[in-house]
Amino acid sequence: MTQEPPGPSAARLLVVDDEAVQRLIVARAAGTLGIAADGAATLAEAVERVQAVAYDVVVLDLGLRDHDGIELLRSLREAGSDAVLVFVSGFDERVRQAAARLAAALGLRVAGTLGKPLLVDRLLALLRALPERTGAKRAEEAPDIDPALLAAAIENDEIICLFQPKVTLQDRRLVGMEVLTRWRSPALGLVRPDRFIPLAERSGLIDRLTDRIMAQSLELFRPWRQQRPELTLAINLSPISLTDLTLPERVSTVLADSGVPPSALVLEVTEGAVMADYVAAADIMTRLRIRGVKLSIDDFGTGHSSLLSLLRLPFSELKIDQSFVRTCLHDPEAPKIIRAVVSLARELGLQLVAEGVETEPVAELLTRLGCAIGQGYLFAPPLSHAGLVERLRATVWAEAVR
Ligand code: G
Ligand code: G
Ligand code: MN
C-alpha cells in the first residue's frame, strides 16, 4: 500500500500545550496518520490560529501556564469551529470530564480525554476514530444574516484584515502578503468570508466592503512598504467588481488616500470572474494596469476558462491552485502540470506563486520544478497585523520588516 495522498480534505490538527516536547509528541503521532499538525504554546497563539485555520482536531492541554485552556473553548465557538476536541491534562479524571461536559454545553464535540504522561497509543486510537467533520456544510446551513447587520459592520469597522505572507521558496524572503478578511461581529462571533462575501454581493454591499478592506489594509501595509519597497499587498476581488466600470477610478482614489504606490497593489481575481463577462473584465483590468496596479489570476487550474482568452489579459501574476500543490508528492500528474505552468508563466513573464504549501517536501519539490514563490501554512497561516509583526520578529524572514 502506498501512503494516502493528503488530498484537499486532509485533516489538520492544532496542539495547544506550553511544553514543546508534548507538542512534538502529538505532532509526530498525528503525522503517522497523515494529519498535518500545528502547535501553539500560549492561549493567544492558539486563538490566533483557530481564527485563521479551520482545524479538524484541537488537542488541548487544560493546564497552560498562563491560562486554563478552557478560555479557548469560547474562542473556538466564536470562530464557528467544528473541530473535535481532545483534552490532555495532568488533573484527575473528574476535572477532565467536567471540561468535556463544558465543551459539549458550548456545542463543541469532544473525542475524548487523555491523562499525562501522554500515552501515544491512546491518542492514536482517538485520532483514528474521529467523527466526520461537519464544517463543509456550515456556510449553507448557517442561518441567513440580515444585510443591515453587515452594512452596519462595514461602517463600524468590524471587518478585519488578516495577512498571509508570500515568500521565496529557496531563501524564505518575504515578498508580499495576501489580505484575507474576517468579520468580528459582537452579535454573531467570528464570521468567515465565504459566509459574508456572498451576502455582500447579493445585497449590494460589495463595493463598500471592498473599498473598506482596501483602505484598511493599505493603511496597515504602508509602513512595511516604506521599509521594504519591493513588498506587495494582494487583495481579493469579488467577481461582481470585475463588472463595475467605476472600479479603476475607485482603486486610484483609495491608493491616493493611502499613499501607497499603485505598483505595490496586486488585485487577485479568479478565472471564473474573468470569464463571466469577458469584455467588461478586459476593459476594467486593462485600465487598472494602465494605472500601475498589478493583477493576479487566483486559483489557477480550477476554472473551465479558455486558456488563450485568459492569458491575453494583462495579468502580472499567476497563482497555481492548492489542489495541485498539495497533491504534488503523491499524484504523478500534479508535477507535470506544475512544470507546464512554470514554463507558461516564464514565457509570458508572469510571477508564479504556489498556494497551499504545507510541508517542507512540497516546498522542495516546487523549487525543483522551478517555482520561486510560495504561500501556505508551512510559512504562516493568515495572521493579524500584530501577529504578522510578531512572526516577522521571530522568523528567518525577520530582516524583511521590523
Ligand atoms: O481565508 P479563508 O479560508 O477564509 O478565505 C476563504 C475565501 O474567501 C477565499 O477564496 C478568499 O479568496 C476569499 N476572501 C477572503 N478575503 C476576501 C476579501 O477581502 N474579498 C473577497 N472578495 N474575497 C475574500
Ligand atoms: O481563494 P484564495 O486563494 O484567495 O484563498 C486562499 C485560501 O486558502 C484562504 O482561505 C486561506 O485561508 C487558505 N490557505 C492558505 N494557506 C493554506 C494552506 O497551506 N493550506 C490550506 N489548506 N489552506 C490554505
Ligand atoms: Mn486569493
Side-chain angles (χ1 to χ4, degrees):
M1 262 284 293
T2 52
Q3 208 185 333
E4 272 298 293
S9 59
R12 299 202 61 87
L13 173 150
L14 177 69
V15 49
V16 187
D17 200 307
D18 48 8
E19 289 173 60
V21 177
Q22 298 284 342
R23 295 197 300 275
L24 196 66
I25 291 172
V26 172
R28 286 242 174 92
T32 64
L33 300 178
I35 299 174
D38 295 329
T42 64
L43 182 73
E45 240 177 78
V47 169
E48 172 108 23
R49 285 267 163 168
V50 302
Q51 290 184 350
V53 178
Y55 287 103
D56 301 271
V57 195
V58 175
V59 178
L60 175 61
D61 178 7
L62 291 174
L64 294 175
R65 205 166 296 140
D66 56 340
H67 291 90
D68 55 27
I70 294 290
E71 290 168 58
L72 185 65
L73 300 182
R74 214 174 314 121
S75 302
L76 280 167
R77 190 171 77 155
E78 281 170 12
S81 171
D82 68 330
V84 180
L85 290 154
V86 174
F87 290 124
V88 181
S89 136
F91 297 112
D92 68 23
E93 182 59 19
R94 288 186 48 231
V95 175
R96 295 199 294 266
Q97 290 301 340
R101 278 195 301 272
L102 179 59
L106 285 167
L108 300 166
R109 293 171 304 152
V110 181
T113 62
L114 300 168
K116 269 188 177 177
L118 205 138
L119 297 176
V120 171
D121 284 348
R122 280 223 51 206
L123 173 63
L124 286 174
L126 285 180
L127 292 180
R128 279 201 196 93
L130 285 181
E132 277 291 304
R133 64 172 310 155
T134 58
K137 291 211 188 91
R138 210 191 314 136
E140 299 147 41
E141 282 171 357
D144 281 349
I145 299 173
D146 182 356
L149 200 58
L150 179 59
I154 296 168
E155 300 313 316
N156 298 336
D157 279 331
E158 290 171 21
I159 309 295
I160 57 162
C161 294
L162 303 184
F163 299 86
Q164 188 176 36
K166 292 181 186 174
V167 306
T168 57
L169 289 170
Q170 223 153 20
D171 50 7
R172 307 290 154 93
R173 256 181 320 107
L174 180 70
V175 293
M177 36 267 201
E178 176 177 1
V179 177
L180 293 158
T181 47
R182 303 287 183 265
W183 173 10
R184 202 166 268 163
S185 161
L188 305 167
L190 198 80
V191 186
R192 305 182 69 91
D194 43 10
R195 208 169 149 212
F196 67 84
I197 300 279
L199 171 67
E201 290 169 348
R202 282 197 304 273
S203 48
L205 293 167
I206 190 67
D207 291 349
R208 184 79 193 111
L209 178 62
T210 306
D211 286 356
R212 286 302 305 143
I213 291 166
M214 286 195 290
Q216 191 193 128
S217 57
L218 282 166
E219 187 183 323
L220 294 170
F221 174 71
R222 187 185 43 223
W224 291 336
R225 161 86 187 187
Q226 278 166 351
Q227 291 173 36
R228 279 271 308 258
E230 70 276 26
L231 290 182
T232 58
L233 183 76
I235 296 176
N236 290 287
L237 274 192
S238 154
I240 308 261
S241 302
L242 275 192
T243 62
D244 171 11
L245 295 170
T246 68
L247 181 75
E249 196 54 52
R250 280 168 42 218
V251 170
S252 286
T253 306
V254 177
L255 277 168
D257 290 347
S258 75
V260 172
S263 59
L265 179 64
V266 182
L267 296 175
E268 297 194 1
V269 301
T270 58
E271 290 176 46
V274 173
M275 290 302 153
D277 185 345
Y278 185 83
V279 176
D283 175 315
I284 292 163
M285 291 169 60
T286 306
R287 281 157 56 221
L288 284 166
R289 285 295 284 142
I290 289 169
R291 287 158 198 258
V293 174
K294 297 197 170 90
L295 297 168
S296 173
I297 313 174
D298 206 357
D299 306 338
F300 183 70
T302 58
H304 301 279
S305 36
S306 149
L307 188 62
L308 290 180
S309 314
L310 189 65
L311 296 176
R312 285 230 166 86
L313 294 170
F315 283 107
S316 6
E317 180 184 272
L318 193 158
K319 296 183 84 174
I320 188 159
D321 189 65
Q322 314 197 352
S323 53
F324 304 104
V325 174
R326 262 180 291 133
T327 55
C328 69
L329 291 175
H330 306 277
D331 177 349
E333 295 299 319
K336 294 180 191 163
I337 294 168
I338 295 172
R339 209 187 287 276
V341 175
V342 165
S343 89
L344 186 70
R346 201 168 281 157
E347 289 296 327
L348 294 168
L350 301 176
Q351 167 161 294
L352 181 64
V353 179
E355 300 188 283
V357 182
E358 297 190 351
T359 65
E360 278 299 343
V362 166
E364 264 164 45
L365 177 57
L366 286 167
T367 307
R368 262 186 284 134
L369 293 171
C371 183
I373 298 173
Q375 182 181 341
Y377 297 154
L378 173 63
F379 314 114
L383 297 164
S384 66
H385 178 266
L388 181 57
V389 168
E390 183 56 37
R391 186 64 80 90
L392 289 169
R393 221 175 267 138
T395 330
V396 183
W397 17 283
E399 297 85 69
V401 173
R402 269 175 214 283

